[in-house]
Every structure is written in structure tokens, then in C-alpha cells.
Amino acid sequence: MKTFTISKNDAGQRLDKFITKAVPALPKSLMYKYIRTKRIKVNSKKGDIAQKLAENDIIDMYINDEFFAPADEKYDFLSASKNLDIVYEDENILLLDKKVGLLSHPDENEYNDTLITRVKRYLYEKGEYDPKDENSFSPALVNRIDRNTGGIVIAAKNAESLRILNQKLKDREIEKYYLCVIHGTLRKKSGILSGWLIKDEKKNKVEVFAEERPGAKQIKTKYSVLAESGNFSLVEIELLTGRTHQIRAHFASIGHPLLGDGKYGTNALNKPLGYKKQFLYSYRLKFSFTTDAGILEYLNGKSFEVAEVRFRRDFLNGSLTGGEIN
């Protein structure tokens, strides 16, 4: 038998979601059975799978000790790099400048050194996060950026901030701005591109069409040309919708692929110049809340920007060379 007291970071979750995180060794089939047969109780009463937990609720679990794995004090995240570029930090959030080449989350090829493991190490060593003190919460990224794209990623330090920011991101109350270099020059120097996007999950690739098609999702990409040099343009982009590979595929669909983009662009154009990664950087974001933001209301209206995007500097200086992005 083991008892859990619901902390502030655990509150607001469904009972089954909490148990899945707090006791990962317990099979779901047994979890549902134990809730149904009162071997898992909430405040000494029969629990309901979907009930929302409140701070200071008591969860009693009358189940075998084998399901309660001993705490592992050799945390994997401690092997992550200490290198972390912080744009902004307060008691609730971190804004991080993720560099090109770094994964946001672990995958089958890289587990230990990712942006989220670096965040956990940083907060652990600051004394702001210790897995032993948490039943189910760990610091989490609100948004993610592809490995070969750099830019601002938001990390939440507590569960309430994570819930708020996830909803704000879903409701488009966080504005995200990108810089990119495209092949060619645009006739209209600013505007909104519209189209319809279909994703091929197996190929992890999307295709953009001018007209609506079955299964397609509408996309809108706002852009403004900042500078032109030869056959290239430096462009600022605001995503009005957020779809997979939207910027890369959208500009490629109108004949202006991103410089260095081998997936949606043309390697015949990129390779002779030595550019192997797409020139795309999520360089600025703004919190534009139109509904209550709770403990994060103080962020409303604030804008944050990375200190420098190397390819913008080099483009404006006329020295864009070598394929370095940032």
C-alpha cells in the first residue's frame, strides 16, 4: 500500500493520467480494475477514472509493492550538456534559444543530450527541480522546433504554467516570428500566402496546394521581405497557422524554396554554394493573450527576441557564406 498527496503540480489532472505517470509500472488494465474495485481510492472513497484531482487530495493505492519502482537517483538528464542559451527566465518559464542540430526531445538515436534534458539538468542543479519531490510532473517544453531549425522554445517550470501555455498556443495567443532566406525575389514584398496542406505521415513530408483538397488543412503564412541580394531574399514570417513544415513547403510551392533546404528545395542549387541546412530561425515571439492567463498574465504584451541570428547579420553585411545558420 502506498499513499500519494496531490501537490500543486499534480492538481488538475484526471485520476488515470496521474496514476499512469506516478506508477508507470502498473499496467493500464490493472489500473482500471483497481479503481473499479476500490483498491485505488481518492480521499478514502471510490475514485472515478475521469475525476479531476485537487491539491491536497489523498490517493491510497492498495496494490503490490512490485509496482512501486524504487526512485532512481542516477538521473539520465545529468549526462546532458550544460550548454543552454537562455533568452529569458522567471519563476514559471524559460525561453531558450535552441541551436540548429539539437533535438527538442529524445528520439531513437539520441536520448540523453536534448533540449529538454538540458533544461532538467539546469533546473536540478539550480535546486528548482528534483524528481524525488514530484509525483508526476517534470519540466516540459510547450512548443518544439525541428532539429535542423533553430529558435525560441518555451519551457514550463510548473504544471500550472504548462497548462496555461499549452492552451494559449492552441488558441493562437502566442505570436511566432521566423527569419528565412529564400531563393529568388518576390514580386509582392509583403502579404499573406494561403494554401492547403496534406501531410504524408510515412514520408514525414507535406505537400501544399493552391486549392482545397480532401484531407487538406488550410494554411496561412504572413511574410515581409527585409532585404534582397542577388538571387536571394531575407524574409520575416509570422505563422498564422502552425502546420508541419509549413514555411518550407509553402515557399517551395510558389517557386521560392528556402536556401539550404534539401527536402523541399533543390539540392542542385544548394550544394554548389555549400549550404546543407535550411536557413530558417524562429527568432522572436510575443505573448498576445486575449483571455485570462492566470499566473502568467504578467507576460501579456511582452516580446522576446534572440540576441543574434548569424545568417541575418551575414546577409545584411553581404557575407553569407559557408552554410552556417547560427
Side-chain angles (χ1 to χ4, degrees):
M1 184 261 193
K2 186 168 183 177
T3 296
F4 293 89
T5 300
I6 300 302
S7 68
K8 187 175 182 179
N9 277 336
D10 299 322
Q13 296 184 78
R14 285 168 44 127
L15 175 60
D16 57 345
K17 298 296 183 183
F18 170 80
I19 297 172
T20 298
K21 296 175 184 177
V23 194
L26 179 65
K28 284 190 175 182
S29 58
L30 280 180
M31 175 186 68
Y32 294 133
K33 177 181 178 181
Y34 291 163
I35 293 173
R36 187 174 65 253
T37 58
K38 300 182 184 180
R39 290 181 65 178
I40 296 177
K41 295 183 178 181
V42 181
N43 298 325
S44 300
K45 298 178 182 179
K46 180 181 179 180
D48 181 84
I49 291 168
Q51 81 177 87
K52 292 290 183 70
L53 299 174
E55 189 173 358
N56 296 320
D57 277 350
I58 303 296
I59 312 298
D60 293 318
M61 298 190 183
Y62 299 89
I63 63 180
N64 295 346
D65 290 340
E66 67 193 72
F67 295 119
F68 302 115
D72 183 3
E73 296 187 6
K74 294 183 179 179
Y75 303 120
D76 291 337
F77 59 74
L78 289 177
S79 63
S81 168
K82 290 186 176 183
N83 187 15
L84 202 60
D85 294 286
I86 299 173
V87 177
Y88 170 81
E89 179 179 9
D90 62 30
E91 68 274 16
N92 295 311
I93 70 166
L94 281 161
L95 299 184
L96 308 156
D97 181 6
K98 187 195 83 68
K99 300 304 183 183
V100 173
L102 180 65
L103 282 170
S104 294
H105 292 96
D107 67 6
E108 63 275 10
N109 298 314
E110 178 57 62
Y111 181 78
N112 289 327
D113 191 26
T114 64
L115 185 61
I116 187 56
T117 53
R118 291 185 186 187
V119 167
K120 289 179 179 179
R121 177 173 185 171
Y122 170 74
L123 294 176
Y124 179 83
E125 292 180 344
K126 280 187 70 181
E128 292 189 30
Y129 166 63
D130 190 336
K132 296 195 301 293
D133 297 334
E134 300 289 346
N135 291 320
S136 64
F137 177 79
S138 64
L141 304 182
V142 177
N143 61 314
R144 66 180 67 191
I145 296 177
D146 290 344
R147 183 173 202 154
N148 290 328
T149 302
I152 298 179
V153 175
I154 310 169
K157 292 184 177 183
N158 53 65
E160 187 172 1
S161 296
L162 181 61
R163 286 193 291 270
I164 292 170
L165 289 171
N166 279 338
Q167 189 62 48
K168 296 302 181 187
L169 195 67
K170 180 180 178 181
D171 294 341
R172 314 298 301 175
E173 294 181 33
I174 300 175
E175 300 173 10
K176 292 182 289 183
Y177 297 86
Y178 292 75
L179 289 175
C180 70
V181 176
I182 63 170
H183 286 278
T185 58
L186 296 165
R187 183 177 59 83
K188 290 183 63 176
K189 303 309 176 186
S190 64
I192 297 177
L193 302 178
S194 296
W196 296 86
L197 179 147
I198 295 177
K199 182 177 181 181
D200 186 327
E201 296 286 353
K202 292 182 179 179
K203 295 181 179 180
N204 190 30
K205 193 172 182 180
V206 303
E207 191 170 0
V208 174
F209 302 93
E211 304 294 334
E212 184 175 5
R213 297 197 177 192
K217 295 181 178 180
Q218 189 174 25
I219 56 173
K220 291 186 178 182
T221 308
K222 187 176 181 179
Y223 73 92
S224 179
V225 176
L226 302 180
E228 297 174 343
S229 178
N231 194 41
F232 301 108
S233 300
L234 177 67
V235 183
E236 181 189 68
I237 293 166
E238 179 186 358
L239 283 179
L240 302 182
T241 56
R243 309 296 185 192
T244 301
H245 301 169
Q246 177 176 323
I247 295 172
R248 298 163 63 189
H250 212 167
F251 276 91
S253 74
I254 62 169
H256 296 282
L258 270 60
L259 177 61
D261 189 351
K263 192 165 194 170
Y264 295 98
T266 306
N267 280 327
L269 292 174
N270 295 319
K271 285 185 177 180
L273 301 172
Y275 299 121
K276 299 178 181 179
K277 296 176 182 177
Q278 68 265 10
F279 276 60
L280 179 64
Y281 218 86
S282 178
Y283 84 113
R284 181 162 67 94
L285 67 78
K286 182 178 180 181
F287 296 101
S288 298
F289 303 147
T290 57
T291 56
D292 180 56
I295 64 170
L296 300 181
E297 189 61 41
Y298 62 90
L299 291 171
N300 197 16
K302 291 187 177 181
S303 180
F304 300 90
E305 185 172 326
V306 298
E308 179 180 75
V309 179
R310 186 181 300 173
F311 71 74
R312 172 177 59 178
R313 180 199 65 193
D314 292 347
F315 191 100
L316 296 176
N317 290 338
S319 58
L320 191 65
T321 58
E324 291 294 328
I325 297 177
N326 214 37

